[in-house]
Amino acid sequence: MLYSYAKLSAHDFGIFRILGTGLGQLLFPWARFKATQKKYDLKPISPTWLQIRLGPILRNEQDKRFYNNLFKVPKDQVKGWEKLFLLSTLPRISETDFIFKDERGLSSAIVVFEGSIGYFSTILKSHEMIKNELIRMTLDKHKNGLNYKFGLSITVHVRLGDFSVAPSQEIIEGGGLNTRLPLAWYVRVINLIRSELGKEIPVHVFSDGTDEDLSDLLMLPNTQRMGFGSSIADIFALSQSRILIASSIFSMWASYIGRMPVIWHKGQLKQKLYFDNPTAEIEVGMNDEIPASFFGNVNTSANM
């Protein structure tokens, strides 16, 4: 039998992992694992979600990113001692070799998916299936965000955490990775949207930063912080946004699932997702205007 396994970090011991990444990055191998498993009818082995990281603890972040209490193990996945036995005894082949080198004739092996190869490239048009599978395996206590009605409002995701301050605006616009976006940019985009819509619509801020870090943003009128208690719960909530101002891979997952109008800082959209509606997914620089075509995608009904 051929099995599939999402190896979520290099140091994966089957029961726990160390030195893992954030949830946004971890979802890439999981999503490819899920899509390929369905396509080729592979037997899935439950991924190891529990990870130990010191960074979030030392920075006293609210979300310690252990990820051990987010998901249940679907009934069709191998777990427990059988999982450990298979991982320690069966030969492994990479997803690339399995798909492109015609190694599907092997009688017994584990196809391993790891890393964020290509981001959403191979699952670009599978967003509905991936969304449903992600919801299916998530514990009920983390699903409240799916039912939140934002009404006509702006949702902002500000990633700070272990992101560093960019030495220059040019670094950000040149696609610099893991850099904090200036709060002045968020403020300006919010003001541009409000001006175009002709009203001071509410703003909801999701962030791993402190109130002090976000003070320039939170002092805007009709603006409040929001959070649903966990990383996956916040992704689900962000996916319900009416207009999303995005900042990282984390908010890219919300965009992939929710497909709402989304604005990125110039140089920070790592991959176009809206193959069927590109005007709803744009980049805006510090001195740019928001094109009129973008607002054609915004449903201005306050009742949604």
Side-chain angles (χ1 to χ4, degrees):
M1 178 179 289
L2 286 178
Y3 296 85
S4 59
Y5 182 62
K7 184 180 179 183
L8 303 182
S9 62
H11 305 284
D12 183 339
F13 301 100
I15 300 173
F16 68 94
R17 298 174 295 105
I18 59 174
L19 303 177
T21 56
L23 184 63
Q25 296 284 358
L26 298 179
L27 287 175
F28 287 122
W30 169 81
R32 299 196 311 275
F33 147 85
K34 179 53 62 178
T36 307
Q37 175 239 317
K38 282 183 168 293
K39 182 176 181 178
Y40 295 103
D41 195 27
L42 306 177
K43 180 67 176 177
I45 299 174
S46 173
T48 305
W49 290 104
L50 173 60
Q51 72 177 15
I52 309 300
R53 293 183 65 189
L54 291 179
I57 299 173
L58 296 175
R59 290 189 296 271
N60 196 31
E61 295 179 15
Q62 182 177 356
D63 185 356
K64 300 301 187 287
R65 307 185 199 180
F66 292 154
Y67 305 137
N68 61 312
N69 63 346
L70 302 182
F71 307 118
K72 55 192 172 186
V73 179
K75 292 180 179 179
D76 64 336
Q77 293 187 1
V78 178
K79 61 181 180 179
W81 288 109
E82 184 181 1
K83 167 187 173 177
L84 294 177
F85 175 77
L86 292 174
L87 290 178
S88 62
T89 58
L90 288 185
R92 302 186 183 196
I93 58 176
S94 72
E95 59 186 292
T96 303
D97 285 348
F98 175 74
I99 295 171
F100 296 109
K101 294 188 178 181
D102 198 22
E103 297 197 20
R104 294 188 288 277
L106 292 173
S107 59
S108 187
I110 301 174
V111 182
V112 179
F113 301 80
E114 57 183 319
S116 53
I117 305 167
Y119 289 154
F120 293 92
S121 297
T122 59
I123 57 168
L124 195 60
K125 297 183 179 180
S126 302
H127 51 88
E128 197 64 33
M129 182 275 287
I130 295 298
K131 171 185 176 180
N132 291 337
E133 290 295 326
L134 190 55
I135 292 172
R136 183 170 74 97
M137 75 173 187
T138 299
L139 294 173
D140 288 343
K141 65 181 180 179
H142 300 297
K143 296 180 183 179
N144 290 342
L146 288 167
N147 302 315
Y148 190 83
K149 302 298 183 184
F150 282 97
L152 180 56
S153 65
I154 301 166
T155 309
V156 185
H157 177 233
V158 182
R159 175 63 191 273
L160 298 176
D162 55 354
F163 277 22
S164 59
V165 177
S168 70
Q169 187 67 21
E170 289 72 24
I171 295 294
I172 298 174
E173 294 187 0
L177 297 174
N178 301 329
T179 56
R180 298 185 178 190
L181 305 180
L183 288 185
W185 175 78
Y186 296 101
V187 171
R188 182 173 184 275
V189 171
I190 289 168
N191 288 333
L192 287 173
I193 295 171
R194 284 175 163 177
S195 176
E196 176 65 27
L197 297 181
K199 59 181 71 175
E200 202 172 80
I201 61 175
V203 174
H204 305 285
V205 179
F206 289 72
S207 180
D208 55 358
T210 66
D211 285 354
E212 183 178 1
D213 293 331
L214 302 166
S215 59
D216 288 350
L217 186 56
L218 296 177
M219 70 173 56
L220 289 174
N222 206 11
T223 298
Q224 63 174 331
R225 289 199 70 162
M226 183 170 282
F228 285 78
S230 71
S231 50
I232 190 60
D234 284 352
I235 285 178
F236 284 148
L238 286 165
S239 76
Q240 304 303 301
S241 304
R242 294 287 292 281
I243 304 171
L244 175 63
I245 302 176
S247 63
S248 70
I249 293 295
F250 190 89
S251 29
M252 191 176 241
W253 271 99
S255 170
Y256 173 76
I257 292 170
R259 302 179 67 74
M260 75 296 289
V262 58
I263 298 176
W264 292 86
H265 192 291
K266 183 179 179 181
Q268 291 300 302
L269 176 55
K270 307 307 181 188
Q271 185 178 50
K272 284 279 191 177
L273 302 182
Y274 296 0
F275 54 89
D276 54 347
N277 188 15
T279 62
E281 181 186 43
I282 63 171
E283 289 185 318
V284 174
M286 278 296 292
N287 300 310
D288 295 341
E289 299 298 319
I290 300 174
S293 58
F294 175 82
F295 292 100
N297 299 287
V298 178
N299 187 330
T300 57
S301 169
N303 297 322
M304 289 184 63

